[in-house]
Amino acid sequence: MIERHIHAVAIEDPGHEEPARTRERLRDIFPAGSTRRMTQLGLVLGSVLHPIAPREEDAVVYASAYAETGALEAYLASFPTASPMLFQTSIHPSAVQQVLIARERSVRQFYPLTGRLQLVAHAVQRRLRLLEHDTGSPETFAFALALSADPSGALGTLGLDASDAPEGSICLPDFFSALRDRRPLREAAAPGLTVILSWT
């Protein structure tokens, strides 16, 4: 089993909030003028990454079922006078890029993942393995976790364990709600893999 300690959790759950309202609510955590070109997903990711403040030597794993599909739909709807800005923000990992560019930060390791089935397992597996070696959704949410091998001061643990489960596909919204509600979770996330989330 691979297990790491959770040292920080940041949650954004705007639900069906209009993007303009999200922009207004979060604009003070970004440099002046930068939010006008950001998507709603970029804004909420910026909000959850703000307290964690990834450094250049940190790895960022970005998991999304739909990524910037909403921006892609807006870009396609802008024809015949297509918007270059909407095209730029419609690229899968652009939400994280929007945040890093606005804050003039960079990270050396960035792993964008998209999918539905087993997305949680793949994202947790990617991040825990790194530590071991040192279509549009109607809802918007974001979360960020700071993980380490050090148990002192930890809020909880996140683990990935081998199991006999022939199936498993915990979905990202269920994983998000367990983080938001600080609820323990032990669920088959992919064939042969169980995600274990516990809180202290």
Side-chain angles (χ1 to χ4, degrees):
M1 177 168 141
I2 304 170
E3 181 179 83
R4 291 296 179 260
H5 302 279
I6 301 168
H7 288 272
V9 177
I11 300 291
E12 258 298 331
D13 190 9
H16 297 286
E17 182 177 73
E18 288 296 317
R21 174 68 190 111
T22 305
R23 185 170 287 105
E24 178 66 26
R25 181 172 57 83
L26 299 177
R27 75 169 179 212
D28 292 340
I29 63 169
F30 292 96
S34 63
T35 60
R36 62 188 162 90
R37 293 188 173 155
M38 294 179 75
T39 63
Q40 188 176 31
L41 185 56
L43 292 163
V44 297
L45 274 170
S47 176
V48 299
L49 288 175
H50 185 66
I52 291 176
R55 299 162 302 186
E56 185 174 349
E57 63 272 16
D58 291 334
V60 172
V61 177
Y62 166 60
S64 175
Y66 298 101
E68 287 290 3
T69 308
L72 179 58
E73 290 170 350
Y75 168 67
L76 294 173
S78 71
F79 279 87
T81 55
S83 163
M85 194 242 345
L86 286 174
F87 174 73
Q88 183 180 11
T89 58
S90 71
I91 298 165
H92 163 58
S94 84
V96 174
Q97 292 171 333
Q98 292 169 51
V99 174
L100 295 175
I101 290 169
R103 294 189 175 138
E104 298 180 354
R105 292 205 179 134
S106 63
V107 292
R108 289 190 187 138
Q109 299 177 68
F110 176 51
Y111 301 93
L113 303 172
T114 296
R116 294 199 50 140
L117 296 177
Q118 291 105 34
L119 180 59
V120 171
H122 293 298
V124 172
Q125 187 176 40
R126 167 62 64 192
R127 187 59 188 130
L128 292 182
R129 293 272 185 229
L130 285 171
L131 287 171
E132 187 178 38
H133 303 290
D134 209 348
T135 11
S137 171
E139 297 179 32
T140 300
F141 59 86
F143 62 88
L145 302 173
L147 304 174
S148 82
D150 182 7
S152 58
L155 304 173
T157 58
L158 177 63
L160 194 61
D161 200 5
S163 71
D164 295 332
E167 296 181 10
S169 60
I170 182 174
C171 64
L172 208 52
D174 291 344
F175 186 69
F176 168 76
S177 67
L179 292 173
R180 180 192 60 210
D181 302 338
R182 299 291 197 275
R183 185 170 30 88
L185 179 74
R186 182 182 192 92
E187 191 159 334
L193 292 173
T194 298
V195 168
I196 304 163
L197 175 65
S198 64
W199 303 97
T200 53

